[in-house]
Amino acid sequence: MIGLYRPGTSPIHRLPAGAKLILLVTTILAVAILVRTPLQVLAVAAAVAALFAVARIPAKIAVAQLRPVLWMLLIIGTFQLIITSWQRAVVVCGVLLISVALAALVTVTTRVTAMLDTVTRALGPLRRFGVDPERVGLMLALAIRCIPMLATIVHEVSEARKARGLQWSMTALATPVLVRALRTADAMGDALVARGVDDDWDEDDWDEDEWDDESV
């Protein structure tokens, strides 16, 4: 669900991407440090739900953003129950769920291009240390694009595996997924090179006589 932007005119939609990212980080840190009881978890969760309502995000979309982490929360909650108490389990799982919900809220109310532009501008001062902000932004864009692409590959291979009656074979899932993922990555790399993304210009490599000979 990464990159699922829902257009809107709510106050949360109108906030600049940079402000939303800063608020996201500071709020998650504050929740992780200050929330210590199940009642506090409930209060913060209600506030997050209110933010989704202000942004006019349908409940179906909000739940879909949280569904992928439910299994992880179940495992973490069970572990916390065994070694600590149910109160601690509620707090730990609640803080994690609230953090994911806040990140999802930023995702659905902010265009990916706006977030990438913000990250690129923020990394600008690092140019003096050899960091290329445009390349970092490109890598982030590729990561955002590749995650749902990989999920699609896994789903298609899984459906094909079931059709062949091999739904319990991990080899029938892992091998085709790996092959298709590598082929996709290779094709994407070729496309980037064809567009000059991998060109590293170095004036020391310039040989005018050699260029003249080749151009003739």
Side-chain angles (χ1 to χ4, degrees):
M1 303 299 289
I2 291 179
L4 179 61
Y5 171 69
R6 297 279 300 185
T9 59
S10 71
I12 297 177
H13 281 85
R14 292 197 297 268
L15 275 177
K20 279 190 273 193
L21 291 175
I22 293 174
L23 287 172
L24 173 65
V25 173
T26 55
T27 303
I28 289 177
L29 288 175
V31 169
I33 294 172
L34 300 177
V35 173
R36 286 291 178 266
T37 66
L39 187 60
Q40 292 174 337
V41 170
L42 184 60
V44 176
V48 174
L51 290 176
F52 273 90
V54 170
R56 301 182 182 91
I57 303 300
K60 181 179 179 180
I61 298 297
V63 172
Q65 297 288 311
L66 303 178
R67 189 179 297 119
V69 301
L70 294 182
W71 285 107
M72 181 182 69
L73 291 178
L74 179 61
I75 296 173
I76 294 174
T78 303
F79 181 74
Q80 290 292 325
L81 279 173
I82 294 174
I83 65 172
T84 57
S85 63
W86 71 266
Q87 294 93 337
R88 182 59 183 170
V90 171
V91 171
V92 171
C93 293
V95 169
L96 286 174
L97 192 61
I98 288 169
S99 301
V100 173
L102 289 170
L105 180 62
V106 172
T107 297
V108 297
T109 60
T110 312
R111 295 183 185 275
V112 173
T113 52
M115 286 194 286
L116 293 178
D117 289 343
T118 299
V119 172
T120 301
R121 288 196 300 270
L123 294 176
L126 297 180
R127 289 181 186 275
R128 67 184 66 182
F129 301 107
V131 176
D132 187 345
E134 285 73 22
R135 250 179 216 213
V136 175
L138 176 62
M139 287 189 295
L140 290 174
L142 289 174
I144 292 172
R145 177 66 187 94
C146 288
I147 290 173
M149 184 185 299
L150 184 58
T152 300
I153 291 175
V154 172
H155 176 72
E156 291 176 354
V157 172
S158 179
E159 291 298 316
R161 181 184 61 164
K162 291 178 182 178
R164 296 196 301 269
L166 301 173
Q167 60 266 31
W168 301 111
S169 173
M170 289 304 298
T171 303
L173 175 66
T175 302
V177 167
L178 180 60
V179 171
R180 288 188 58 180
L182 291 175
R183 287 179 177 174
T184 302
D186 189 52
M188 188 176 294
D190 290 341
L192 291 173
V193 172
R195 287 162 176 78
V197 175
D198 196 44
D199 289 344
D200 293 324
W201 177 257
D202 188 354
E203 290 184 358
D204 294 336
D205 294 336
W206 172 259
D207 188 334
E208 185 174 356
D209 294 334
E210 181 180 354
W211 171 254
D212 290 339
D213 292 339
E214 292 179 354
S215 61
V216 174

